[in-house]
Amino acid sequence: MLLTTGQAAEELGCAVTTFRRLINAGVLPGLSRRGVRVMTPLWVVQALQERAQAPVHRLEAKELGVLRVDAARQVEDTDRQWIGYASGLGPDDLLKGLRGWWRCDAASVAAGGVLPVTLSGYVVAVLTGLDTWEKGEGGRHAFPGAVLAGYVADLATPVKHVTASRQEDRNVADLLLGTRLISHSGGAIAYVATGNRLIN
């Protein structure tokens, strides 16, 4: 059974534009076209419905930064060609497109130790190596030492690519990739409580 974009969004309880980001980012398998309509298999929508919440309580931080991105688009920057996420981008382009420049409290992001990247509320990539940052204009920051710990090519199954060299980073990427992580923010970076209480 195939669903229109509107039907799929209704099943997931999200806006059509939210579901369309997943289509545009190329993370949903089995899509087909009927005229101008994009059709999504019912099993893909059901897989997204059943996706577990990110187990952020298993992380050591008290609070976690979450980078909320759109489907990738080309930009004319000196240090990157793309901003955002698309499954067709290679690890180098993904890392360049995700490590900055974002308006955020850089110290809080670094304190979390890991930066999940979400697209329409699903974790599609994980960044680590956030210890250092650069400050730009308008309160924007970049994390030049960031490591792409992993990313997903297919969100429905999900197909994970764990790319970090450090085992600790690989573990956190495997833990978070493909899970659901809802966050709310007026900007690109949101902050979520993990439920942990750190004891000094």
Side-chain angles (χ1 to χ4, degrees):
M1 184 176 175
L2 299 174
L3 304 182
T4 65
T5 299
Q7 289 169 332
E10 187 175 350
E11 286 291 320
L12 289 171
C14 68
V16 171
T17 52
T18 301
F19 188 73
R20 196 170 284 138
R21 285 191 194 103
L22 298 174
I23 293 172
N24 294 339
V27 293
L28 303 180
L31 301 183
S32 58
R33 292 190 178 273
R34 284 188 188 161
V36 296
R37 288 183 169 182
V38 175
M39 309 300 291
T40 305
L42 176 61
W43 75 266
V44 170
V45 176
Q46 289 173 333
L48 296 180
Q49 282 177 319
E50 295 165 2
R51 193 53 42 82
Q53 296 290 328
V56 294
H57 63 280
R58 291 177 56 184
L59 302 175
E60 292 182 5
K62 182 179 177 182
E63 184 181 66
L64 208 58
V66 177
L67 174 57
R68 300 144 43 90
V69 296
D70 207 335
R73 60 180 173 83
Q74 282 194 292
V75 291
E76 294 182 5
D77 284 356
T78 55
D79 58 343
R80 59 184 175 181
Q81 290 182 289
W82 300 88
I83 185 171
Y85 185 87
S87 64
L89 295 179
D92 289 343
D93 281 329
L94 275 177
L95 178 58
K96 289 175 183 176
L98 298 174
R99 67 184 177 194
W101 295 86
W102 314 109
R103 283 193 180 93
C104 66
D105 179 341
S108 292
V109 172
V114 57
L115 183 63
V117 179
T118 63
L119 180 73
S120 299
Y122 297 91
V123 180
V124 293
V126 173
L127 299 181
T128 56
L130 308 165
D131 300 334
T132 59
W133 59 86
E134 295 176 2
K135 188 173 181 179
E137 297 176 359
R140 295 179 186 274
H141 295 83
F143 297 86
V147 172
L148 181 65
Y151 63 97
V152 295
D154 170 343
L155 191 54
T157 307
V159 176
K160 305 176 186 180
H161 295 280
V162 178
T163 50
S165 57
R166 290 178 65 230
Q167 189 60 48
E168 185 179 348
D169 293 347
R170 295 174 68 86
N171 291 345
V172 76
D174 190 53
L175 179 72
L176 297 176
L177 285 173
T179 61
R180 200 162 189 177
L181 180 53
I182 303 301
S183 58
H184 304 282
S185 172
I189 300 278
Y191 302 92
V192 297
T194 62
N196 293 331
R197 293 186 177 180
L198 299 184
I199 300 172
N200 293 332

